[in-house]
Amino acid sequence: MPNSNTPEKFEDLKRTDPAEKAGGLKAVTNSMKHVMAQSGPLRGAAALARLNQKRGFDCPSCAWPDPDDHRSPTEFCENGAKAIASETTRRLIDRDFFAKHSVEALAAQSDYWHDQQGRIAEPLVLHEGATHYQPIDWHDAFALIGDTLKSFDDPNEAIFYTSGRASNEAAFLYQLFTRLYGTNNLPDCSNMCHESSGIALKDTIGIGKGTVSLDDIHQAELILVVGQNPGTNHPRMLSSLQIAKENGAKIVSINPLQEAGLKAFAHPQRVTQVLGGRTSIADHFICPKTNGDQAIFQGIAKYIVDKAAQNGSTIDASFISEYGSGFGRYKTHIAKVDWSEITRLSGVSQKEIENLAELIINSEKIITCWAMGLTQHRNAVATIQEVVNIHFLRGAIGKPGAGLCPVRGHSNVQGDRTMGIYEAMPESFLAKLDEVFEFKAPRKVGHHAVDAIRAMRSGEGKLFLSLGGNFLSASPDTDYTAQALQNTELTVQISTKLNRGHLITGRQALILPCLGRSETDLQKTGPQKITVENSMGVVSASEGRLTPTSNKLKSEVAIICGIARATLPKNLRVDWDAYESDYSLIRDKIEEVIPHFDNFNERVSKPGGFYLYNGAKERKFATYNAKANFTCHELDI
């Protein structure tokens, strides 16, 4: 088997000064260059014209929300244009390509080279001992998966991974199939990015999601952008920060590096800024040590609490009294924290932290945004809960212009979790599945991503099925993960493009090519739409209109239904044929199982969709004690 290392060439490297702004004319020209090169002017223009429109399709690039009240004709960023160029490419890799290139030869190429070859045209199989992928009929592919799954003594020998780009409909059916099969082994990409956010928020505010909307961002007086690089990872966020800045907000970047997008932004849809203008974004840059954020936020809290002893106005006593729990213990804890430890662990001076605390004290509408710079540490839950403590001290949650904003990455990663893609769903969800579909869902907690890797490495995990994504490259230890995947009997990848995960396989492997969001999903009852949920809890429809790249592609929903029919015994309560033919029937079942999806089909048919209920936005905290819970953590790094 080929090794898992990515061969990349680093020749003629040059060091240059960092960029002073993001966006502008360069972003426009780069976007058009990628689309025209891959898709051509007609197909590319048709895709971009419907991208992120209310009656178009959702961008697969990230989960940043679209405006509620209006959509510009170009409601996308350079990253979105690249994603659409990749998806709508005219290039195809078919049986001739795979006959020409062995798995070993493909593994010798770079990840970029893999992506540039084009869309996978038909289902493929790598038989045990074979050197090349070969075409396989869809029926035979499903039968291979079903026969393998039925051969296991224990359903927990199978692992069902999900990427955050899967639709709500596909995710719901995927978890239903997995639990009907008999396991909760549903690791997903959340395990490797914002799991710490969900845990931290669930314990403190009662919901593992953010509490703000785009309008809140625009109304905020102070926005903290922590451990995040919007210019690279969520470029459309810069236009929201630009609006906030123009409305008078102060913006603080807390990050070890000063990122160009937070220095200045040139809006590519404003003529003056395309021609050279720019808006300065961050008013202050605080550059801590890596993972110094927990100490910074404890320092802010210490300053606020100490000052409250002299002047009670620094804290929102009415919020704490009515909604808070644990403040007395927290106050005692924070008083014992030593400034020398705070400055040593944060790498930031006491004066700088105190100045930031003053900004917080003098602001009523405060929003903290964060991404993987906070979530990817062993003390991530504690760090995020320190952020929450600050918001509780100031009552900066559950009111306009204030709240918590974990910025998700994959475009529907939040929706997939809502749909039940999680190894430890609560009893209320499982009990409702039991009631609606008349079976007994497994209760044993399944494997998260790390446990799944360990299970495959030990031989316990015998089949790995991935609904999208590139699990190999996304995992924290690529070589160890490669060894784990190679120890399985069968690996199955539901994909659009070639990636390295297709080349590090079990004894047998399947690649099942699926439709992209931009493409028409035509089933027996007509064209279908899917739904997604963005970072701010908006559920909206997504409907592609482009001709599929190949006539041998199936939708994610159709692939899941095909696998289910080949694996599970007949169940009169689960009509896989009907779900494949009409996705509105899937949404009817989602409505029956998952709270707050009342009248799902009707509400999602309205342009722009709807906001899911979020009690924390109304200061209704669904924690064990129905309170906003302060937490105490020892400083760690």
Side-chain angles (χ1 to χ4, degrees):
M1 281 289 184
N3 67 47
S4 60
N5 294 322
T6 306
E8 302 283 4
K9 295 181 180 179
F10 298 102
E11 298 175 355
D12 301 321
L13 292 180
K14 296 179 181 179
R15 180 174 179 176
T16 61
D17 292 332
E20 292 299 318
K21 68 175 182 180
L25 181 61
K26 186 176 180 181
V28 176
T29 57
N30 281 346
S31 298
M32 294 304 102
K33 179 180 69 175
H34 287 289
V35 173
M36 294 305 111
Q38 293 269 10
S39 310
L42 295 179
R43 187 173 173 85
L48 292 177
R50 290 182 54 78
L51 181 59
N52 288 334
Q53 300 306 311
K54 289 186 176 181
R55 296 194 183 276
F57 64 95
D58 184 67
C59 181
S61 180
C62 81
W64 189 252
D66 306 307
D68 292 333
D69 54 347
H70 71 281
R71 302 286 167 89
S72 76
T74 52
E75 194 64 53
F76 57 85
C77 66
E78 184 178 346
N79 285 357
K82 288 178 181 177
I84 293 310
S86 179
E87 180 174 294
T88 61
T89 180
R90 295 166 297 176
R91 302 170 189 168
L92 274 179
I93 52 177
D94 56 14
R95 60 185 64 193
D96 292 337
F97 173 89
F98 286 98
K100 179 181 178 182
H101 298 88
S102 69
V103 171
E104 184 176 3
L106 290 171
Q109 300 294 336
S110 71
D111 293 353
Y112 175 78
W113 186 91
H114 293 155
D115 179 78
Q116 292 299 299
Q117 301 317 296
R119 292 282 295 277
I120 302 167
E122 58 187 326
L124 300 157
V125 63
L126 183 68
H127 292 297
E128 184 171 3
T131 58
H132 292 66
Y133 273 102
Q134 299 173 351
I136 184 173
D137 179 80
W138 277 106
H139 178 272
D140 293 339
F142 294 149
L144 175 57
I145 299 169
D147 290 345
T148 304
L149 287 170
K150 287 185 285 189
S151 73
F152 295 157
D153 296 326
D154 183 350
N156 292 305
E157 293 174 332
I159 293 162
F160 301 91
Y161 175 74
T162 314
S163 158
R165 290 184 180 179
S167 69
N168 287 331
E169 290 75 13
F172 183 79
L173 286 189
Y174 194 61
Q175 65 80 28
L176 175 61
F177 160 69
T178 298
R179 293 185 166 107
L180 283 164
Y181 176 67
T183 183
N184 284 310
N185 285 349
L186 283 159
D188 74 326
C189 58
S190 284
N191 295 150
M192 296 180 281
C193 54
H194 268 287
E195 193 72 76
S196 50
S197 296
I199 292 171
L201 296 176
K202 187 73 175 175
D203 290 346
T204 52
I205 65 172
I207 186 169
K209 303 179 182 182
T211 67
V212 300
S213 67
L214 274 186
D215 282 344
D216 291 320
I217 297 277
H218 299 161
Q219 294 178 46
E221 298 170 358
L222 176 65
I223 301 174
L224 309 181
V225 183
V226 192
Q228 185 190 1
N229 178 8
T232 298
N233 298 315
H234 310 90
R236 287 190 302 136
M237 181 178 175
L238 293 178
S239 61
S240 299
L241 294 177
Q242 183 181 48
I243 293 170
K245 191 68 184 293
E246 291 168 347
N247 288 340
K250 292 188 179 298
I251 298 174
V252 178
S253 169
I254 303 177
N255 202 46
L257 295 175
Q258 292 189 20
E259 305 289 356
L262 289 170
K263 292 180 181 179
F265 174 56
H267 201 306
Q269 296 171 21
R270 296 185 183 182
V271 174
T272 56
Q273 299 204 338
V274 169
L275 296 177
R278 66 181 71 180
T279 300
S280 295
I281 299 296
D283 298 276
H284 304 281
F285 286 94
I286 295 177
C287 297
K289 293 179 180 178
T290 299
N291 196 24
D293 310 275
Q294 183 192 6
I296 288 176
F297 282 99
Q298 282 209 6
I300 293 168
K302 183 174 180 65
Y303 183 83
I304 292 173
V305 171
D306 286 352
K307 195 167 184 178
Q310 309 162 18
N311 176 4
S313 64
T314 63
I315 64 172
D316 188 333
S318 62
F319 175 88
I320 294 170
S321 174
E322 183 173 355
Y323 301 104
S325 175
F327 175 66
R329 183 168 60 90
Y330 175 73
K331 181 179 177 182
T332 300
H333 164 76
I334 211 72
K336 296 177 181 178
V337 179
D338 185 78
W339 272 110
S340 64
E341 277 295 279
I342 290 170
T343 56
R344 181 181 70 84
L345 293 174
S346 69
V348 178
S349 71
Q350 181 175 342
K351 182 63 176 175
E352 203 169 2
I353 295 172
E354 289 177 344
N355 288 341
L356 176 55
E358 281 292 337
L359 281 176
I360 292 170
I361 288 169
N362 292 310
S363 303
E364 294 296 323
K365 299 178 178 181
I366 305 162
I367 291 175
T368 302
C369 307
W370 70 89
M372 291 173 70
L374 286 198
T375 67
Q376 296 295 288
H377 300 285
R378 62 189 177 92
N379 59 329
V381 171
T383 299
I384 294 163
Q385 290 184 339
E386 301 292 359
V387 172
V388 176
N389 287 335
I390 300 297
H391 280 258
F392 290 166
L393 288 174
R394 296 292 299 138
I397 187 171
K399 65 182 183 181
L404 303 161
C405 184
V407 183
R408 311 285 178 171
H410 280 37
S411 57
N412 196 41
V413 64
Q414 187 158 298
D416 287 352
R417 182 58 60 87
T418 302
M419 292 297 109
I421 301 293
Y422 185 39
E423 71 276 0
M425 288 299 286
E427 174 60 25
S428 57
F429 179 92
L430 299 176
K432 200 65 180 177
L433 271 188
D434 293 350
E435 176 188 331
V436 171
F437 293 103
E438 296 183 2
F439 81 111
K440 185 67 174 179
R443 265 43 177 193
K444 179 183 177 182
V445 174
H447 293 321
H448 53 58
V450 174
D451 281 347
I453 296 168
R454 290 171 177 156
M456 290 186 287
R457 185 69 176 82
S458 71
E460 176 194 340
K462 297 179 180 178
L463 178 144
F464 176 79
L465 200 164
S466 177
L467 177 58
N470 183 348
F471 183 74
L472 172 71
S473 297
S475 299
D477 187 331
T478 307
D479 288 337
Y480 190 91
T481 304
Q483 294 167 18
L485 290 167
Q486 289 169 343
N487 207 32
T488 62
E489 293 183 14
L490 177 65
T491 50
V492 183
Q493 310 278 349
I494 301 172
S495 308
T496 57
K497 305 284 288 288
L498 182 67
N499 67 57
R500 193 159 299 278
H502 301 141
L503 311 175
I504 306 296
T505 71
R507 285 184 283 281
Q508 292 192 93
L510 286 167
I511 303 175
L512 306 181
C514 64
L515 294 170
R517 286 189 191 166
S518 60
E519 294 170 316
T520 299
D521 184 352
L522 185 62
Q523 302 298 338
K524 288 181 180 179
T525 61
Q528 304 297 310
K529 63 186 175 188
I530 59 170
T531 61
V532 294
E533 178 187 345
N534 66 35
S535 266
M536 294 179 179
V538 178
V539 178
S540 60
S542 176
E543 186 174 4
R545 293 287 178 85
L546 297 185
T547 302
T549 311
S550 165
N551 61 10
K552 293 185 178 179
L553 305 181
K554 285 185 178 290
S555 70
E556 293 174 327
V557 166
I559 292 171
I560 295 164
C561 290
I563 294 170
R565 285 191 294 263
T567 306
L568 301 175
K570 291 278 188 181
N571 182 333
L572 296 178
R573 295 290 294 167
V574 186
D575 191 339
W576 300 105
D577 291 339
Y579 298 151
E580 181 177 343
S581 298
D582 186 351
Y583 297 0
S584 70
L585 300 178
I586 307 171
R587 290 188 285 275
D588 286 341
K589 292 302 178 183
I590 291 171
E591 179 180 335
E592 288 186 57
V593 172
I594 303 176
H596 313 304
F597 278 85
D598 311 72
N599 303 315
F600 189 7
N601 276 302
E602 178 185 345
R603 287 199 289 165
V604 84
S605 68
K606 296 177 181 178
F610 61 94
Y611 280 87
L612 280 176
Y613 174 75
N614 185 322
K617 288 184 176 182
E618 302 174 9
R619 295 186 169 180
K620 295 177 181 177
F621 302 106
T623 54
Y624 74 95
N625 57 357
K627 293 289 186 178
N629 290 309
F630 283 89
T631 52
C632 302
H633 300 281
E634 297 301 319
L635 280 177
D636 190 13
I637 195 167

